[in-house]
Amino acid sequence: MSAPQFYLAISAASGCLATILGAFGAHGLKGKISEPLFHAYQTGIQYQFYHTFALAIVACLMFRYGASKALSASAMLFIVGMILFSGSLYALAFGAPRWLGPITPVGGLCFIGAWACLTFAALKMN
């Protein structure tokens, strides 16, 4: 499997998972967890979707321009960011220990790095 295929498949799986988790949150969690935790859960869903789409775009750019180091770094950082940022918010909503909270900003830093790598890749494209 090529890198673009791999990242496109991860993006599709992430979109599927975000849809499932979003529906579960709307129908299974609302009213069962505190409002701040429900809001955090929804933020996790939002950011997972935003960065799922970004990962799909990076994969499509790889199909067109090749899997440069900058595009590959962007893709990996988007994936790690989704796991750390959204994953930590989901875990907190489901009752994980509060010490997990500081992991969320690390995921945010991964997102920033991914966007920076994508910017660099765009400036290098012919």
Side-chain angles (χ1 to χ4, degrees):
M1 174 181 293
S2 70
Q5 287 173 305
F6 174 77
Y7 293 127
L8 190 57
I10 294 294
S11 176
S14 178
C16 181
L17 180 62
T19 302
I20 291 166
L21 291 172
F24 174 74
H27 301 289
L29 284 182
K30 194 162 186 162
K32 293 190 172 109
I33 62 174
S34 71
E35 193 61 35
L37 286 177
F38 186 71
H39 179 70
Y41 184 86
Q42 288 179 310
T43 299
I45 297 293
Q46 265 184 316
Y47 275 71
Q48 184 175 349
F49 268 123
Y50 298 152
H51 294 93
T52 290
F53 297 138
L55 180 59
I57 290 167
V58 170
C60 291
L61 289 171
M62 286 179 167
F63 278 116
R64 172 68 174 91
Y65 296 101
S68 70
K69 288 181 183 178
L71 286 175
S72 297
S74 179
M76 285 306 299
L77 286 167
F78 279 132
I79 292 168
V80 172
M82 284 188 278
I83 292 167
L84 295 179
F85 185 89
S86 295
S88 65
L89 291 176
Y90 301 149
L92 289 168
F94 287 115
R98 304 235 0 114
W99 60 262
L100 196 61
I103 291 175
T104 307
V106 176
L109 290 173
C110 290
F111 288 149
I112 292 167
W115 287 109
C117 289
L118 182 54
T119 301
F120 181 78
L123 293 172
K124 292 289 204 174
M125 289 177 188
N126 294 327

